[in-house]
């Protein structure tokens, strides 16, 4: 997956939304963090076998991938707000996997996405790594994630054009 390319594509979408909704100069970080946490909940809801011990419903990986890339849009957008895309060249992206998918979700929800410190104690960087690792834990390939992201990004642009 080409993260630099995805950040560039996300920047275009963010700019489109800001222009279309007349949001220039507004700090939208809190709204993006809340939206990411909502998307994580929607993703978890498509994976009942992960945490719904009371249910016999099966995981829906097709819908889960769509929810995952919805979350990826916000992860990238938050990174843009922090200027992370400018530091990307010098940083390695590593896998951060907790003991199971349930704990991975809980740790992602605990990340302080509003803070950004490049280097030691890097909140955003750790969150990005955990989010990407969640995709791996769910069995999504980088190619699937990138293609689903591109498909949804196109839909998001179309929605802005149609008054969504």
């Amino acid at each position: 997956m080409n993260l630099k390319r995805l950040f560039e594509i996300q920047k275009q979408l963010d700019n489109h939304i800001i222009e279309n909704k007349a949001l220039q100069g507004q700090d939208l970080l809190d709204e993006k963090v809340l939206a990411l946490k909502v998307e994580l909940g929607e993703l978890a809801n498509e994976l009942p076998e992960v945490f719904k011990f009371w249910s016999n419903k099966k995981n829906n990986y097709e819908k889960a991938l769509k929810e995952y890339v919805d979350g990826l849009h916000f992860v990238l957008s938050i990174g843009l707000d922090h200027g992370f895309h400018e530091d990307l060249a010098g940083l390695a992206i590593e896998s951060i996997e907790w003991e199971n998918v349930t704990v991975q979700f809980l740790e992602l929800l605990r990340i302080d996405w509003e803070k950004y410190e490049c280097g030691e104690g890097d909140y955003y960087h750790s969150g990005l790594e955990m989010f990407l690792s969640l995709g791996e834990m769910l069995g999504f390939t980088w190619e699937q994630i990138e293609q689903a992201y591109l498909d949804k990004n196109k839909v998001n642009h179309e929605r802005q054009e149609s008054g969504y």
Side-chain angles (χ1 to χ4, degrees):
M1 180 165 28
N2 184 341
L3 273 178
K4 183 177 179 179
R5 177 177 177 231
L6 295 186
F7 273 110
E8 290 169 4
I9 292 168
Q10 186 62 45
K11 186 174 185 175
Q12 291 171 2
L13 177 62
D14 286 358
N15 289 339
H16 188 181
I17 292 168
I18 287 168
E19 182 180 311
N20 194 39
K21 302 291 184 192
L23 298 169
Q24 296 86 345
Q26 292 188 37
D27 181 359
L28 302 170
L29 183 58
D30 287 342
E31 287 79 2
K32 291 176 184 182
V33 170
L34 177 58
L36 171 58
K37 291 183 177 190
V38 168
E39 292 301 340
L40 284 168
E42 291 177 0
L43 171 58
N45 224 22
E46 296 301 336
L47 303 165
E49 293 173 79
V50 168
F51 73 101
K52 291 186 178 181
F53 56 86
W54 60 90
S55 176
N56 292 322
K57 291 176 92 176
K58 298 295 179 197
N59 292 342
N60 185 331
Y61 287 100
E62 185 178 326
K63 287 183 179 178
L65 178 59
K66 291 178 182 180
E67 297 298 345
Y68 180 83
V69 298
D70 285 348
L72 180 58
H73 275 82
F74 290 109
V75 168
L76 294 171
S77 188
I78 292 165
L80 288 166
D81 283 1
H82 286 311
F84 181 81
H85 62 294
E86 296 165 5
D87 297 325
L88 189 59
L91 295 174
I93 302 296
E94 299 179 7
S95 183
I96 297 179
E97 292 185 13
W98 292 87
E99 53 265 29
N100 59 50
V101 174
T102 300
V103 176
Q104 192 82 3
F105 270 107
L106 292 172
E107 292 299 324
L108 280 164
L109 290 166
R110 286 185 188 113
I111 286 286
D112 194 350
W113 294 94
E114 293 91 339
K115 292 186 179 176
Y116 176 75
E117 297 176 11
C118 191
E120 201 65 36
D122 184 353
Y123 297 95
Y124 176 79
H125 189 186
S126 296
L128 174 64
E129 290 175 329
M130 274 193 268
F131 188 84
L132 295 176
S133 297
L134 175 63
E136 290 178 333
M137 293 172 81
L138 295 175
F140 302 141
T141 67
W142 296 120
E143 294 80 16
Q144 285 177 306
I145 293 168
E146 189 166 2
Q147 188 58 57
Y149 173 86
L150 295 172
D151 293 345
K152 184 59 185 271
N153 190 273
K154 181 179 177 187
V155 168
N156 287 341
H157 276 284
E158 291 169 355
R159 285 177 171 173
Q160 289 303 305
E161 293 301 319
S162 66
Y164 179 78

